[in-house]
């Protein structure tokens, strides 16, 4: 089972610890080969914690247990938002949300990204993305360059 995951963490939140929980976090016996794709837009550090330690800390450390449960709740809410976005937003609305999320992460309004990369992230074709970006440019919301988008209004 593979879930494409695109998450943008605003710059102000980058110091906060984040956790990606796999199906094997607590159930070591489950033989699952999770397909996780992570792309860091900024320099990042990843810390892997052995499942045995996570289990031990879950039982003995209330602050760790709270952190894990809150992380699951955050992930669940993000999943619901993603489902809602996919089910109810039109592609132009999804593209607009994508651009807004990207500029929040990067902390500036210049995005160095190709139309193809956006299309892959949104699971659509490059032609659709290019057409919608051109519409945004015609509305004076963005300015298009080669491999770059300058966001004028958001």
């Amino acid at each position: 089972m593979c879930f494409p995951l695109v998450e943008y963490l605003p710059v102000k939140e980058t110091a906060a610890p984040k956790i990606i929980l796999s199906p094997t976090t607590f159930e070591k016996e489950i033989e699952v080969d999770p397909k996780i794709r992570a792309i860091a837009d900024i320099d990042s550090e990843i810390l892997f914690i052995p499942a045995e330690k996570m289990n031990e800390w879950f039982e003995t450390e209330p602050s760790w247990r709270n952190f894990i449960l809150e992380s699951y709740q955050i992930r669940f809410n993000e999943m619901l938002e993603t489902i809602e976005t996919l089910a109810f937003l039109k592609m132009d609305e999804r593209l607009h949300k994508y651009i807004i999320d990207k500029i929040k992460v990067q902390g500036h309004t210049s995005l160095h990204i190709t139309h193809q990369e956006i299309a892959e992230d949104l699971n659509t074709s490059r032609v659709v993305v290019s057409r919608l970006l051109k519409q945004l440019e015609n509305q004076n919301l963005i300015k298009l360059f080669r491999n770059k988008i300058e966001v004028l209004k958001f």
Side-chain angles (χ1 to χ4, degrees):
M1 184 184 313
C2 180
F3 298 99
L5 171 65
V6 177
E7 178 184 357
Y8 297 106
L9 186 61
V11 172
K12 65 181 178 168
E13 295 181 24
T14 54
K18 292 296 274 184
I19 187 168
I20 297 176
L21 301 166
S22 76
T24 58
T25 301
F26 293 106
E27 296 297 326
K28 203 170 131 180
E29 300 79 28
I30 297 176
E31 292 195 20
V32 176
D33 182 23
K35 307 275 189 260
I36 298 175
R37 175 181 164 224
I39 299 173
D41 288 333
I42 58 174
D43 289 342
S44 304
E45 291 183 22
I46 299 175
L47 175 65
F48 292 96
I49 301 172
E52 299 82 28
K53 282 292 181 193
M54 290 187 68
N55 287 331
E56 177 186 327
W57 295 342
F58 193 82
E59 297 296 326
T60 61
E61 303 293 334
S63 61
W64 177 255
R65 182 175 37 257
N66 290 339
F67 173 70
I68 295 296
L69 294 175
E70 286 173 12
S71 295
Y72 269 116
Q73 183 63 50
I74 290 167
R75 294 288 175 238
F76 182 74
N77 291 343
E78 289 171 350
M79 181 186 68
L80 290 177
E81 180 182 348
T82 300
I83 291 169
E84 184 177 315
T85 298
L86 290 172
F88 301 114
L89 290 184
K90 293 187 241 172
M91 185 54 68
D92 60 336
E93 296 168 321
R94 288 178 55 205
L95 176 61
H96 186 256
K97 181 182 182 321
Y98 175 88
I99 291 171
I100 298 303
D101 288 347
K102 281 287 256 188
I103 63 173
K104 285 179 182 176
V105 168
Q106 295 183 359
H108 54 82
T109 58
S110 183
L111 303 177
H112 296 278
I113 191 167
T114 67
H115 295 193
Q116 183 62 41
E117 291 168 329
I118 295 171
E120 289 171 5
D121 286 345
L122 295 177
N123 198 27
T124 190
S125 72
R126 184 206 50 81
V127 174
V128 169
V129 168
S130 296
R131 180 177 48 82
L132 292 173
L133 287 171
K134 191 64 178 171
Q135 287 177 3
L136 291 174
E137 184 177 44
N138 290 339
Q139 296 170 7
N140 293 320
L141 298 175
I142 63 171
K143 181 74 176 152
L144 295 174
F145 301 93
R146 183 168 179 79
N147 298 331
K148 180 181 167 187
I149 300 169
E150 186 69 36
V151 180
L152 305 174
K153 297 177 187 174
F154 60 93

